Amino acid sequence: MQMNWPRKLLIGIPFLWLLALFLVPFLIILKISLSDPVLAIPPYSPRLDLSNGFEGIITFFSELDFENYIFLSEDSLYWKAYISSIKISAIATFFTLMIGFPLAYAMSNASENWRTPLLMLIILPFWTSFLIRIYSWMGILSNTGLINQLLLWMGVISEPIIILNTNTAVYIGIVYTYLPFMVLPIYATLDRLDGSLLEAAQDLGCTRFSAFWLVTLRLAKPGIAAGCFLVFIPVIGEFVIPSLLGGSRTLMIGKVLWDEFFANRDWPIASAVAVFLLLILLIPIVLFQRNEEKQREHER
Amino acid sequence: MNHTKPLTPHHFAPWQDGTSKPLISFSNVSKTYGDFSAIDNVDLKIYPKEFFALLGPSGCGKTTLMRMLAGFEEASTGTIEIDGHNMKGVPANKRPVNMMFQSYALFPHLSVADNLAFGLKRSKMPKSEIDGRVEEMLRLVQLTKFAKRKPHQLSGGQKQRVALARALAKSPKLLLLDEPLGALDKKLRQETQFELVDIQEKTETTFVIVTHDQEEAMTMATRIAVMDHGKLMQVGTPDEIYEAPNSTYIADFIGDISIISGHVQDIENERATIIWDESQTPIRGSFERNVTKGTQAHFAIRPEKIQISKTEPSQGYNKIFGQVEDIAYTGNMSTYFVRLPNQKLITSQMVNDRRISQRSITWEDHVWLSWHDEAGIILAK
Ligand SMILES: Nc1ncnc2c1ncn2[C@@H]1O[C@H](COP(=O)(O)OP(=O)(O)OP(=O)(O)O)[C@@H](O)[C@H]1O
Ligand SMILES: [Mg+2]
């Protein structure tokens, strides 16, 4: 069948979108990651010079190499940063789930009138700048901040506890920032859950708790998985939270990336770090897609 | 209304027998939501192996009554006993009752076989026996081939059978079915009605079924309870409800009926006589016990019990004249709508045992309607 042009356009737009905003930048980064650092603007070579024609393209490609990736694998800093990012992200995702699930569960059990306001409250923080919210956490967590003052005033502690610039502060920041990404997908699955399924489970001999375990949790699984991926994936590359709330010992790949780009001005290494990060993320992203597909299949 | 229920060979009527022990007993049970009364002072006994139907208009409290049996609602006042045990405070999972939900409530993440095994796994049944029982239930509802499917891969009728099998798997003493056939088309519905009766007889489980469809209740039930506004209006066998309704509400609710209101002139020899129109003969017939002399009463008669003719019958009562206003021809039956001089409309139904061309009564004809003493019933309200 011949496709008419409005249809072509309709299908073409997302392709163009992906091409312009994902594939082209990615190819540029990939190219930079294969070049050598130089002191110039921009700080890498070779640069593609089309004025020399075909000859120029050949020399350009012949100068690209995998040096930076080899360097990446030799310097343990990078490995440690990747591993530490994954670890921090996994732990933070776990805490977000532990707080997010009860929230979503309570919301889905709230009366009809309460649900919309509660949903609003979850989304509300997005209306202020992310940076401002993280800065206010610095105020809350610092040695003279809200928490320490409160605890001192109550006499629980005699001298301030150090929270800011530790991993604890990073976890707090991540859980706070990413909570809506956990709550919303879980809430969506719980909200759709047919209440008569729970009654059926009880009718067939389940206690309230085992009905929750065997039915509610089981059916919320796709939502839980979606929430976990939505937190885990972006947190691995997170830069702002570890650099503002974390300390010198907080090692995350996002921070390394920033340092390579802006402190060292070593764009090729930074690009290699970024490309490798993308490769690591590919695994959870594919798993996430699978999860979404499976869920869609179930709903049919 | 045609009775399709096969007549049971032996006489099954534990409700008439003073010595039978009821399986379910409601005493003065009421259920209120705020100041709204969903169930109003219900007294009811249901006996083992009964197929008991709850019938009534939407919102009359059928589901609420069921949910109180299943353990999802507590009675506000009164006591509910199942098998002699007071059910107050007994949670759903501790009752010898299973329910087949109106929406089926199949677990979407479990296969058909796992849905059936769900209840068994919660019971003390040893693992080795569970598979056999699941097999047996699959055979009962003829779904053996579908054991591995997920609910979303089944048709409506198949889902309904899974739900039934799941509820039966634990061999409950009592099975509650809330509009089990609501989602099925007419043909599948009739087939399933027979299947249900069959399964009920095979498993010897007591069934309580909610339905909107009076024909369905008539077909399947040993007894029917008709409810309205949370009250039990009448409890009886299908033919009691049909032939001897205790009020015009019941008479009107079940099947087609014509109702003539008048004044009770006389009561003697098991017959009441009511005067209802100066120009017509009085009506004489059997009466319900609340009818008293000198009061208002209502005569109810089914269309198929009324004869229609062009010549005046010889009897001195139970005959009225009027004019044919309309005729509805439905194959084996013809229904005549006859307008009386007082403008009332009465319907008479005749079996078509002759060809149309030979039938003598047509539109605008002046006709006589008549019936014998036993054909209708005189009701107090
Ligand atoms: N949780 C509740 N709170 C308040 N009112 C309720 C509640 N549950 C039921 N009702 C009311 O109780 C009455 C009986 O409801 P029920 O569901 O038993 O009706 P039903 O006979 O099953 O109707 P249908 O044939 O439409 O299913 C209805 O008027 C309903 O509005
Ligand atoms: Mg109902």
Side-chain angles (χ1 to χ4, degrees):
Chain A
M1 201 184 74
Q2 195 81 34
M3 272 209 285
N4 49 4
W5 69 265
R7 253 187 84 133
K8 273 187 192 160
L9 195 71
L10 209 64
I11 297 174
I13 286 173
F15 271 109
L16 281 176
W17 177 273
L18 272 178
L19 197 72
L21 293 174
F22 182 76
L23 201 61
V24 171
F26 175 73
L27 286 177
I28 293 173
I29 294 289
L30 186 67
K31 192 210 86 176
I32 298 175
S33 76
L34 299 174
S35 359
D36 298 317
V38 289
L39 273 175
I41 295 175
Y44 54 85
S45 93
R47 291 161 60 194
L48 189 55
D49 192 356
L50 288 179
S51 59
N52 288 343
F54 193 60
E55 200 75 0
I57 296 175
I58 299 237
T59 34
F60 166 76
F61 272 106
S62 65
E63 282 179 41
L64 294 177
D65 54 48
F66 286 94
E67 224 173 25
N68 298 313
Y69 289 92
I70 293 164
F71 178 67
L72 221 62
S73 65
E74 281 167 352
D75 191 332
S76 67
L77 163 80
Y78 299 105
W79 282 115
K80 280 184 185 149
Y82 281 120
I83 303 277
S84 155
S85 292
I86 290 171
K87 206 178 95 190
I88 289 178
S89 185
I91 294 172
T93 304
F94 174 77
F95 283 126
T96 317
L97 176 63
M98 286 300 114
I99 296 171
F101 187 88
L103 268 179
Y105 187 68
M107 271 166 66
S108 69
N109 281 318
S111 76
E112 213 62 57
N113 304 342
W114 274 100
R115 286 186 196 183
T116 318
L118 286 173
L119 214 58
M120 284 303 291
L121 284 178
I122 293 286
I123 301 169
L124 205 63
F126 280 121
W127 292 4
T128 47
S129 154
F130 167 58
L131 272 179
I132 290 177
R133 284 183 284 139
I134 294 302
Y135 270 111
S136 23
W137 272 108
M138 290 171 75
I140 295 170
L141 299 175
S142 74
N143 284 3
T144 53
L146 213 61
I147 291 182
N148 274 316
Q149 281 188 16
L150 198 70
L151 291 178
L152 282 170
W153 176 75
M154 290 196 306
V156 180
I157 49 174
S158 53
E159 53 188 75
I161 41 173
I162 297 159
I163 311 173
L164 192 61
N165 302 332
T166 64
N167 279 356
T168 313
V170 174
Y171 289 132
I172 292 174
I174 293 174
V175 170
Y176 164 77
T177 308
Y178 286 88
L179 198 59
F181 295 102
M182 185 63 86
V183 171
L184 294 179
I186 296 178
Y187 172 74
T189 50
L190 288 178
D191 192 42
R192 261 175 318 189
L193 195 96
D194 179 3
S196 65
L197 290 180
L198 285 176
E199 286 187 345
Q202 285 176 48
D203 188 64
L204 292 166
C206 282
T207 58
R208 264 164 189 278
F209 178 75
S210 60
F212 171 81
W213 188 258
L214 289 166
V215 178
T216 310
L217 262 193
R218 188 52 246 287
L219 289 175
K221 228 168 89 177
I224 292 172
C228 288
F229 283 126
L230 284 179
V231 175
F232 181 75
I233 293 169
V235 168
I236 289 183
E238 181 59 54
F239 154 70
V240 175
I241 297 172
S243 53
L244 291 185
L245 299 180
S248 52
R249 305 232 321 269
T250 310
L251 191 56
M252 281 191 81
I253 201 67
K255 247 173 82 180
V256 173
L257 198 61
W258 172 274
D259 287 343
E260 294 295 352
F261 259 117
F262 297 101
N264 294 351
R265 278 184 67 80
D266 191 339
W267 285 23
I269 282 286
S271 300
V273 169
V275 169
F276 196 72
L277 177 62
L278 194 79
L279 287 180
I280 292 176
L281 288 181
L282 227 49
I283 299 163
I285 288 172
V286 166
L287 288 177
F288 174 67
Q289 289 295 346
R290 278 250 199 93
N291 174 58
E292 295 285 290
E293 256 164 47
K294 241 174 45 196
Q295 193 183 2
R296 240 169 284 143
E297 200 171 287
H298 254 286
E299 276 157 17
R300 259 190 302 119
Chain B
M1 171 82 42
N2 38 350
H3 280 234
T4 34
K5 190 164 75 96
L7 290 171
T8 34
H10 58 282
H11 188 63
F12 176 74
W15 51 88
Q16 289 175 338
D17 176 359
T19 61
S20 336
K21 251 184 65 190
L23 178 67
I24 301 168
S25 128
F26 286 89
S27 337
N28 302 317
V29 172
S30 295
K31 172 78 192 173
T32 49
Y33 293 110
D35 53 5
F36 174 77
S37 174
I39 295 292
D40 192 357
N41 206 11
V42 163
D43 270 299
L44 178 63
K45 287 183 170 43
I46 299 175
Y47 294 87
K49 298 181 200 172
E50 262 205 89
F51 199 122
F52 194 91
L54 286 171
L55 201 56
S58 186
C60 70
K62 305 180 295 288
T63 299
T64 308
L65 204 66
M66 284 250 179
R67 291 173 58 80
M68 290 197 295
L69 280 174
F72 300 127
E73 310 281 357
E74 278 288 339
S76 307
T77 59
T79 49
I80 300 173
E81 286 180 5
I82 297 179
D83 209 18
H85 300 286
N86 190 340
M87 284 293 125
K88 192 168 174 57
V90 179
N93 56 327
K94 295 278 188 318
R95 297 191 179 200
V97 176
N98 282 126
M99 180 148 169
M100 180 180 159
F101 288 76
Q102 189 164 2
S103 59
Y104 306 145
L106 300 179
F107 302 118
H109 58 294
L110 298 179
S111 68
V112 169
D114 288 338
N115 261 284
L116 298 193
F118 189 93
L120 300 174
K121 285 183 185 160
R122 309 301 139 225
S123 68
K124 290 193 186 79
M125 185 180 268
K127 256 201 163 68
S128 52
E129 283 171 36
I130 290 180
D131 286 346
R133 179 71 180 156
V134 168
E135 271 299 305
E136 191 183 336
M137 294 323 292
L138 284 170
R139 261 202 310 279
L140 182 72
V141 294
Q142 296 162 26
L143 284 174
T144 312
K145 275 192 297 189
F146 299 90
K148 295 221 160 53
R149 294 233 190 141
K150 291 277 174 69
H152 70 97
Q153 297 166 316
L154 299 175
S155 75
Q158 290 162 345
K159 278 185 203 162
Q160 181 254 324
R161 282 185 284 169
V162 177
L164 177 66
R166 187 181 68 178
L168 279 170
K170 290 181 85 173
S171 319
K173 286 190 176 134
L174 172 63
L175 184 70
L176 305 171
L177 306 103
D178 194 354
E179 297 199 36
L181 313 180
L184 306 184
D185 65 52
K186 198 168 166 72
K187 191 168 175 300
L188 193 57
R189 217 179 152 114
Q190 283 174 347
E191 284 172 19
T192 319
Q193 286 171 8
F194 283 111
E195 251 173 60
L196 268 184
V197 174
D198 212 42
I199 289 173
Q200 194 256 346
E201 276 164 11
K202 256 189 230 160
T203 57
E204 301 203 322
T205 311
T206 308
F207 277 30
V208 175
I209 185 171
V210 164
T211 170
H212 257 112
D213 181 343
Q214 30 150 316
E215 207 165 323
E216 191 168 288
M218 289 283 179
T219 312
M220 298 193 289
T222 53
R223 280 195 305 158
I224 297 174
V226 183
M227 295 180 69
D228 189 37
H229 290 101
K231 287 196 175 68
L232 285 182
M233 304 302 284
Q234 185 171 6
V235 181
T237 61
D239 33 312
E240 275 166 12
I241 300 263
Y242 188 75
E243 305 283 346
N246 64 4
S247 63
T248 51
Y249 174 82
I250 302 284
D252 216 21
F253 188 79
I254 311 279
D256 287 329
I257 203 151
S258 297
I259 291 171
I260 297 171
S261 301
H263 195 77
V264 183
Q265 188 200 36
D266 199 12
I267 292 184
E268 59 173 334
N269 299 338
E270 305 286 299
R271 293 284 178 270
T273 308
I274 58 177
I275 304 290
W276 62 282
D277 190 315
E278 305 293 282
S279 60
Q280 305 267 17
T281 59
I283 291 170
R284 239 177 68 169
S286 50
F287 57 93
E288 176 250 333
R289 59 193 151 82
N290 290 335
V291 174
T292 47
K293 195 171 163 177
T295 57
Q296 185 82 7
H298 313 274
F299 176 67
I301 185 161
R302 304 276 175 200
E304 72 271 17
K305 302 277 171 67
I306 302 181
Q307 269 83 50
I308 186 165
S309 67
K310 281 169 99 168
T311 52
E312 183 174 354
S314 54
Q315 67 213 54
Y317 43 83
N318 288 351
K319 61 180 181 186
I320 48 184
F321 60 87
Q323 196 176 16
V324 176
E325 181 163 300
D326 208 353
I327 303 174
Y329 174 72
T330 49
N332 59 341
M333 294 275 198
S334 286
T335 307
Y336 301 88
F337 298 89
V338 177
R339 184 71 72 185
L340 308 188
N342 70 355
Q343 294 309 310
K344 209 173 159 45
L345 202 64
I346 302 283
T347 45
S348 159
Q349 203 171 46
M350 300 280 278
V351 177
N352 293 330
D353 45 10
R354 279 178 281 173
R355 301 279 304 275
I356 294 186
S357 55
Q358 294 166 332
R359 239 171 286 127
S360 53
I361 297 164
T362 70
W363 281 264
E364 308 289 313
D365 275 356
H366 290 272
V367 291
W368 286 90
L369 301 173
S370 62
W371 56 90
H372 42 92
D373 286 8
E374 296 287 343
I377 186 161
I378 297 168
L379 303 165
K381 56 171 200 279

